[in-house]
Amino acid sequence: MAGGISIPKLADVKPHMKRLRIDAALSGTELAQVGRVLFTTGQIRSFFENLVADRGEALPALAVYYNKLVLLPELTRRVNVAIDGDGRLNDEASSELHRIRQAITGTENAIRQKMQDYTRGKTAQYLSDPIVTIRNERYVLPVKATYRQKFGGVVHDQSQTGQTLYIEPADVVDMNNRLREYYLKERQEEERVLIELSAKLAPEADNIENNAQVLDI
């Protein structure tokens, strides 16, 4: 507790700063930890500046500490908009990531709708269970083996008895392919954003590390 404000427990970011200095990219978790240091820096600095303004005096004993904190508002905003507290990239991390995730959601919904048509329509009688499941990261149906020819498509698995085949219907294959492509693009864009954020933080590595040390006093 410092003058009525609680300083949260922060992760040790020294190893992260060391990696930034050699142009390495940080993970989402590491960037989230750096983001908490940046955010806390702004909160603590603002608290003490407001305290000084309210009291109308310099408070030199406190100024020795808070004046060492270097504010990095744009970096603070960028990192904390892009990364959530658990290190996951938010949709707002980039316009491209937002677009890709919207496409993923739309494609997944279309696949589920098509698959549910099978579980609720006339074809339900050919299923071992009227459910949609996943095999090899593809949406499939549990089809009675004797009705394999009713669906076409790709068999991804079978039950231990061989009486149930997990089939990706022919008219869903293209949608599943498209979904896999979107997932790949999502991972590529996430990696690009992590590299970009790390590059933006690298020039401020010393300031971030010093801020973390001040906050740890």
Side-chain angles (χ1 to χ4, degrees):
M1 186 71 67
I5 186 170
S6 177
I7 300 178
K9 179 65 176 176
L10 300 170
D12 179 10
V13 297
K14 287 181 182 178
H16 310 346
M17 298 305 103
K18 184 176 181 179
R19 292 181 58 216
L20 288 179
R21 292 187 185 102
I22 60 172
D23 297 324
L26 301 184
S27 69
T29 299
E30 291 168 338
L31 284 169
Q33 292 170 347
V34 174
R36 282 191 283 275
V37 170
L38 291 169
F39 179 78
T40 304
T41 296
Q43 293 290 97
I44 297 300
R45 180 71 184 259
S46 295
F47 172 81
F48 283 119
E49 289 179 345
N50 291 335
L51 185 63
V52 168
D54 290 343
R55 294 194 177 190
E57 54 183 310
L59 302 177
L62 295 176
V64 170
Y65 296 103
Y66 74 77
N67 281 338
K68 292 180 181 179
L69 296 173
V70 178
L71 295 179
L72 301 167
E74 180 54 31
L75 277 177
T76 301
R77 185 200 66 79
R78 180 73 181 93
V79 172
N80 286 290
V81 165
I83 310 287
D84 71 13
D86 295 322
R88 182 179 182 275
L89 271 77
N90 296 316
D91 293 353
E92 295 76 19
S94 78
S95 57
E96 178 65 5
L97 185 59
H98 186 262
R99 185 193 70 77
I100 292 169
R101 287 181 174 172
Q102 282 188 319
I104 287 173
T105 299
T107 305
E108 285 180 333
N109 288 340
I111 291 172
R112 289 194 188 100
Q113 182 59 56
K114 187 66 178 177
M115 298 295 266
Q116 285 174 358
D117 289 344
Y118 282 110
T119 64
R120 296 171 181 170
K122 294 180 180 179
T123 52
Q125 62 187 305
Y126 306 128
L127 305 180
S128 298
D129 291 294
I131 60 171
V132 177
T133 186
I134 294 177
R135 290 292 187 279
N136 300 326
E137 299 183 343
R138 315 279 288 196
Y139 287 93
V140 297
L141 296 168
V143 179
K144 296 174 183 176
T146 52
Y147 296 111
R148 163 72 179 87
Q149 73 283 358
K150 297 284 186 180
F151 290 83
V154 180
V155 177
H156 286 280
D157 198 3
Q158 67 177 24
S159 64
Q160 290 184 343
T161 63
Q163 294 181 359
T164 297
L165 302 178
Y166 293 93
I167 295 177
E168 178 184 11
D171 55 1
V172 178
V173 171
D174 285 344
M175 286 191 288
N176 267 327
N177 287 342
R178 190 159 62 249
L179 182 60
R180 302 315 307 164
E181 290 174 4
Y182 285 137
Y183 282 143
L184 177 60
K185 290 180 179 179
E186 179 187 32
R187 287 195 295 271
Q188 291 172 336
E189 179 61 10
E190 287 175 345
E191 290 176 5
R192 189 198 68 78
V193 171
L194 294 177
I195 291 170
E196 179 186 78
L197 287 175
S198 298
K200 289 181 179 297
L201 289 169
E204 302 294 346
D206 289 345
N207 285 329
I208 295 170
E209 185 171 327
N210 290 337
N211 286 346
Q213 290 175 344
V214 172
L215 295 172
D216 195 40
I217 293 176

